[in-house]
Amino acid sequence: MATVDGQTRGSDDDGRMVDDAIGLDLDLDEIDDKEFDIPPVDNPPTLESILNAPDDDTDLHDGGITAGAAANSGLLLGTTIALQDEQGETGSLSSQEGILNDRPKKKNRKSVRYEQHGAILRHVVLKSAASQIASAADRVNSGLPTALAVSSVIAVGTSHGLVLVFDPKQVLKYCLGSTAVGTQFGAVSALSLNIDCTRLLCGFAKGQITMWDLSNGKLLRTVTDAHPPGSAVLHLKFTDDRTIAVMSDSGGSVYELSFKRLIGVRTCESQCLFSGSRGEVCVIEPLCIQRNVQEHPMKDVIMIAMASLSKILIVVIKPQLKAHYVHPLRGDAATLPLLSWQFVVIQVSDSNRVIDPVLAFARDQTIFYVQVTCRSFDDIKVTPLQKTELPYKLLAMTWINSRTMIVIDTSERAHMVDVRSKEELEVIDLLEVQLVYSTSFYKSLATGGNVSKALAYAGERACYQSLVMFNGQLVLLGTKGIHVLMLRTWLERIDALVKRSKYQEALNLAQSFYNGKAKGVVGLYGPLEKRKELIGKQLMMILHLYIDLAMTHLCPLRGKVEELEGYFQGVVTICVDHCLSMGQTDFLFGKIYDRFSEDPIAKGTYLECLEPYILNDMLTYITPSVMKDFVQHYEQKAMLSNVESCIIHMDIASLDIHQVVSLCWVHGLYDAIFYIYNQGIRDYTTPLEELLNRLIAVTSTGKQLTYEQVQLGNKVLVYISCCLVGRAYPTGDIPPELLATVRDEVLRCVSALHTPKHPDEEPVYPRLRSLVHFDTREFFNVLSLAFENPDLELEQKQRMVDILLQLMVEGTGFSPHQVGVLFTFLARQMAKHSNTIMVNRVLFEQVLESLCASGEDSRHEERHQALLELLHAGGLQHFDEDRLILMADEAKFFRVCETMHERRGHYHRILSCYWRDVARQMQIFAYISRVLTDGNVANEQKQLVKDEVLRNLEHLVKIDARKTAKLVLVTLNCPPSEAVKHVAGNEGMLFDFLQGVFTYREVSVSGGEDVSKKPLKLEPEICERYLELMCLKAPQNVCYFLRSDDSYRLQESLEICQRHRVTDAIAYLLERSGDIQGAFDLLMNELMRALKDEKRVEVKFDKMYDSIGVIIQLLQRNSHKLDKSQREGLWFPLLERVLAEQREAMRDQDRLDWKSVTRQVINAMMAYIPLSFVLQKVMSDPVYSMGRFGEMKDLLLGMLDTYNYEKTLLHTCANLINHDLHCQLTAFTASVGRAVVLRTDHCLLCSKTIGTLNNTDSVVCFQCGHSFHRLCLSSVTAVSLSSEEAKRWACFVCTKSSVRTQISVKPSSGLLSAAQKSSPAKQSENLADEAQLTAIENLRQSQKCPSRLAILSELVQRDRTGGKSNYRPYGYTSILQHEHFPLRVTAPPPP
């Protein structure tokens, strides 16, 4: 889709194409008393002196008029009188009294200017025109201004029917009309000037239209019949054709006016283009082509846009009336639609641009843009471009140029908006303008107010006639004068900031002009290079001025050094940014540097500010003189590392090589040394030789290296690596033509037999020796990278390998670790290059023995990986495999062993490689499963794997017992009894294995494992063996196991638990066997023993509390199975034991809460023992019988609260059940009385009308609406007889299944059979129909789901039963058994 090109300018013609019309020659000077501190006038001039004074202009800032016209009290007084005189005479502005009073107050209202854009708009007042309008209102009673038209003249209509015409110099040229005409026609409601400004059309509030000749001021036409009487003229517009105009009235209709002159008689013909009966048109806007673009394909087309409250239309009037575009409009009812045309440069492709008209239409807060394309009269297309949402409601809208619009919101603030980016550029407050509103015309008050309510309501803020855009100037009509908004040129915007001493903002704005990122640009034409040259000169002038002021007037006179440095840093940053953006480095290092050099602090700050630009490669060249000062400054401040970082980013041509190189050698700036030699001299070996000589000197001493020496060695290694792989050090790449030469020279330098001028005692290959001694591993890593380079020839690689073998293996002075690193390197190289590197067989065996040495665990993984790579590369084919496996096994190279065994097909031997490898132990289970399921593995080999697993089951159990159980029982499909035999010799291992078996079974039952469909069954003997081991290893888990498993035998398990004295398990098994008394006695004896043995009171209380909880749960689970005497025989001994402990505690004055234990027992037994018996037992105890009431108050109140709580709970549950039953019965009753509506009146099987057969025949009707004769249905559907009167049928149409529906059988006579009429007794019998049966079925189904009673019962049942799924830890009690459970329930509401 084409887009609006808001920035592209190709030539002067493109830039001026929309501004060819003759402009309004205002010749205004911008003056602002707030900017220039103009003092107020003490003696204001008289009215005569102001009227006779020459014209000038006034600039508005922050929404206020700041010139003499606003300060002229005489003028203001005259205007005020005119306003008061006019309010009772005409309806043009008197009807706006409410609107004017509702204007936004000027409280905290200011214009908004964004720093990045500066002041874009000029706001000036035409003081001379304003004073003459006020004078005319005072002298000739012309009235208030109501309408405005601007071309080469300014026409202002008034409320008394006069039109004041001013020339471009604001001189009153004509006063057209008279007050008598105003009395007859009403106020001027619309004005329009033709294209050559020779004719003026005036529309009036009472509907008349007049045409004036502006060459002599004569009246040419008075049109009274252009539209129906009784409606005001709202819009009146000339088209490009001087004889055609369009108008709209308050009735919402649009008319075409054709002006003709026949035989000296001037006539006007009117044609209705749009009727207001289809929606009132609020605004019209013709496309004026000849005024904007002289040559255009649409120059002979007359197009008009019109908008109603609900839609917008684009219509062509000439050559043929046709509508081309319709779009709906939505928005607030209080807002009017807005229209504005503009010719815009549209970028349709990278190389093609067109100039087409673009219509902007809006309502409420949304603006739409559409492009009109015309190739011929018959080929006119309207294309949507974009849509803009604004955060404010719109009052008016107009283009100010092809890239920018001005929109005015309902609070009378003008927003300048960039169309393409939708960015707001500036906001001007227009409150003091006091815009003229056309409310009275939209209400048609002059003709009786015969308009629709919607138009009258929306017209409260109509100001179409108060804004005129002409030649890039927005002219505004206010109640007290004429205001103009115009765009400042780019130079004026910069000068405005400079005058206010906002130099940084001015520089940034000029920079945005230079970069082409500025918005609302006016005054820049021509090619891009010419525009940049013009802007660059202006920017340099401002920058020069700013530097002079920054070093003199703006510079702080006093302050700390840090403050001065901060100030100069800000100034220098600005200068550098702008100079670099324009490429003015000569100015930066010339005049600017000279200016800063006058102050030592400023000079140092200047030099330090260059560093970040150099490091970011934004500044790569500095003049030698500045670079010399830069290096000296950093050297004085001991910041040489910063100098080194900067040097490697600089252009060599800007450096004093002698100075920099000397500095680098003295201070050890090795990166800079490499950079200067490589880039400046193209010498890659001289710095390397010098630094290697230094490294030889420090490594030959055998002492610990310092930090600087380590840094030297690391840089040398990195430099060698870069040179061998073709990278430049520290950044960049070596030129391609130098790659081979540099690589050969560096290799010769490193592998040189001796250094130049070497002493006699120097060992061979001193440079290689020093590098190996400095860091053996990193040196061979460098060689590995170099050997990866395909450009490195094989002869060079072989030569380097031979030298290293001669130096490190045949020579002396190297540790075994260093030799091992060499062999690891050789093994990797031989593996990677397919043994193209030749190594002596004896040395090769030494390589293997070194790799497989078991003493150096620090390099174990590295040696392991090297041997594995060599094996995969086929480098060990000639080596004895058995010996290799033995060596790898001793070295714990398990992956090497695995590879060798897998090649031989010995999969069973691989298992030991996994369980011995700590890092891969958990992978053994997946490996075994993969081998056993692999179709390529022979069955014999799989059997060997299975046998190996069973023989080494202990190793697998140690790794993961559960996975081992799954492997043995599922994957190997081994019976549990057979698997147990393999670990039976070790009780600990057997226990772990069985624990894994039971854990796996528990997980599989709960759905946590993907196992076979058959459940895992275990023999009771295995379960009992596991139970016995658990009694020995983990007795605390025995009871839980017994509760969660049911595969054991009860009697044998009881004997095992008794043998090992696991009390809680014995009690549970006794309970399962039905011996409740035995379980109770066992727990009580255990309680007595624990209390007897424990002397500490706190521990004794805790044991008592826990044991009582266990016994209570036992009794709660089984009390419902016992009779009354048995329950009392269990509960009362427990209560007596608790009371006895409480008596003893009171005797010992124990402060622990023993009463809570007693209360817990009483609350639990109240559900099974009558309350009276419990109370009698308690009161007979000496603890309570001999005490005071206060001591037993809590106990009694707790018992009563529990009783009341359970009573309330029972009553509430009964209410809930009754409510559920009532709702179901209500639904059932409603379904019984529901009628059945038949879909057809004929049988769906025989297609005969119901009742056409024998009258005694019956009709079968289903709830679905289908009906059949009974005989017809019997012939196709099986009938199930339940009685003579009721049958169960199935609808043949809806279903053919065996579902049967019980229905009523009714005799047929039409829809009612004769049998029904003759047998009233049978008619009274009501059998259940389908709806009734459905309701019954729904009731039955609903009872299947958990009801509220079932939920409550389940809560109690879980506490009373001892099932495995309801297991609870000891001490757990139900919320229903808790006396403090806050149940707050009420009966359900009545249905």
Side-chain angles (χ1 to χ4, degrees), residues 1023-1049:
C1023 183
E1024 292 159 8
R1025 178 60 174 157
Y1026 175 59
L1027 179 61
E1028 187 170 5
L1029 292 174
M1030 185 181 294
C1031 291
L1032 294 173
K1033 304 293 184 181
Q1036 69 277 5
N1037 298 330
V1038 172
C1039 188
Y1040 175 77
F1041 168 72
L1042 294 174
R1043 291 178 182 273
S1044 60
D1045 197 282
D1046 56 357
S1047 59
Y1048 55 87
R1049 293 175 294 186

Side-chain angles (χ1 to χ4, degrees), residues 5 8 10 14 345-354:
D5 183 7
T8 305
D14 289 343
V345 178
I346 307 294
Q347 192 79 31
V348 296
S349 64
D350 295 339
S351 59
N352 188 19
R353 296 183 301 162
V354 297

Side-chain angles (χ1 to χ4, degrees), residues 47 129 138 175 220 246 251 332 348 370 486 522 539 568 602 622 644 651 660 739 778 870 900 921 975 983 1063 1076 1193:
L47 176 61
D138 186 32
C175 180
L220 300 180
V246 291
D332 188 358
V348 296
V370 294
M486 63 185 70
V522 176
L539 200 153
F568 287 123
I622 298 179
E644 183 180 27
D651 185 2
V660 175
L739 282 177
E778 292 302 326
L870 188 61
M900 298 298 296
Q921 282 182 346
V983 290
T1063 306
I1076 309 302
K1193 177 182 177 182

Side-chain angles (χ1 to χ4, degrees), residues 205-217:
K206 295 184 179 180
Q208 294 82 359
I209 300 174
T210 60
M211 177 184 286
W212 299 86
D213 187 351
L214 293 184
S215 61
N216 51 25

